[in-house]
Amino acid sequence: MSAAAPLTEEIQARYEKIKREAEEGGYHLNPDQAFTMNLVRGLLVNEQRYGYPSCPCRISFGKREEDLDIICPCDYRDPDLDEFNACYCALYVSDAILKKELSVGSIPERRPPRSERKAVLAGSSGRLTDMALPFPVWRCRVCGYLCARDTPPLVCPVCKATKDRFERFI
Amino acid sequence: MNQMKMEHVPGKARGKITLYALSTCGWCAKTKELLRELGVDHFYVFVDLLPPEELEEAIREVEKFNPAGSFPTLVINEGTRVIIGFREQEIREALG
Ligand code: SF4
């Protein structure tokens, strides 16, 4: 926790990377530059603290396996963009917000409370029954990308989520 | 329970106001700014900056008022009123 605060240049560089990847994937960052930069700073702070960029608007205990769903971009971004036009932190916003047809606001937390998350970690994921497939099918929990191969790819070719964000789908 | 360290911002008396926030979160920052703008006496804590041994206790405290355990959580008068998220209008009405 004593790591040096991220430098302005680092924040700028990461902002540009996130923005480029967002636009390539059809997503948009919040046009409120100061607000967005502050969130990017938060992502860098969390990356220094925990070793992964967990959501700046959610608390972390620094255990990656418990935080897989909130490594940015989180599992909740897309449903929140669909329903509320922004992700929970308002780092990502919808087209309508970008075009100023709507304004951004604080939205409800979609991530289940701690008690329910623990139950999910312990329980089995609800996947379809095993069929006689030549390969298992893996699903990216962030963007829904599917691929049939022995193991998930190192990073999702669509949204760049890491291998451990994939779940066995079929 | 040992008392976690809260920052005190002196101002107009509007009851006991406690803001649980994260130092990295945009809506938390906006809520904190709004409290300053309103000039009300309040306490705040950046839960993510607490030492690890105090973290669990702090989150339990937040969960008591807001089962989702999300931030920002604004607690007025020991939970008589709890405002979750940056609800600007609601905060202005409650404290203005
Ligand atoms: S995408 Fe998810 S993790 Fe990333 S900033 Fe938005 S809410 Fe936080």
Side-chain angles (χ1 to χ4, degrees), chain A residues 49 56-57 61 88 105-106 114, chain B residues 24 27 48 56 63 71 86:
Chain A
R49 284 177 179 163
C57 308
F61 284 86
Y88 183 62
S106 194
R114 277 206 295 171
Chain B
T24 48
W27 297 125
D48 58 321
E56 176 64 36
E63 285 169 342
F71 299 90
F86 177 60

Side-chain angles (χ1 to χ4, degrees), chain B residues 53-71:
Chain B
E53 61 278 11
E54 286 177 30
L55 190 57
E56 176 64 36
E57 185 190 313
I59 295 174
R60 273 174 206 263
E61 204 169 303
V62 175
E63 285 169 342
K64 208 167 68 192
F65 298 113
N66 165 15
S70 62
F71 299 90

Side-chain angles (χ1 to χ4, degrees), chain A residues 23-53:
Chain A
E23 295 294 337
E24 279 169 12
Y27 295 92
H28 310 294
L29 295 191
N30 190 334
D32 180 340
Q33 184 87 2
F35 188 87
T36 301
M37 283 300 202
N38 197 38
L39 290 171
V40 173
R41 188 188 65 84
L43 285 171
L44 288 171
V45 167
N46 283 348
E47 192 169 74
Q48 281 179 355
R49 284 177 179 163
Y50 313 124
Y52 49 87

Side-chain angles (χ1 to χ4, degrees), chain A residues 55-56 58 70 72-74 77 87-89 91-92:
Chain A
C55 182
R58 293 174 169 121
I70 55 159
C72 190
C74 63
R77 176 188 62 176
C87 72
Y88 183 62
C89 294
L91 175 63
Y92 293 92

Side-chain angles (χ1 to χ4, degrees), chain A residues 138-146 156 159 161 165-167:
Chain A
W138 302 95
R139 175 181 178 274
C140 171
R141 299 177 60 104
V142 178
C143 72
Y145 166 75
L146 296 178
C156 173
C159 75
R165 310 287 299 277
F166 278 75
E167 62 187 356

Side-chain angles (χ1 to χ4, degrees), chain B residues 7-22:
Chain B
E7 300 294 330
H8 180 214
V9 181
K12 289 180 281 188
R14 286 284 186 280
K16 183 159 193 290
I17 301 166
T18 309
L19 173 67
Y20 297 89
L22 300 179

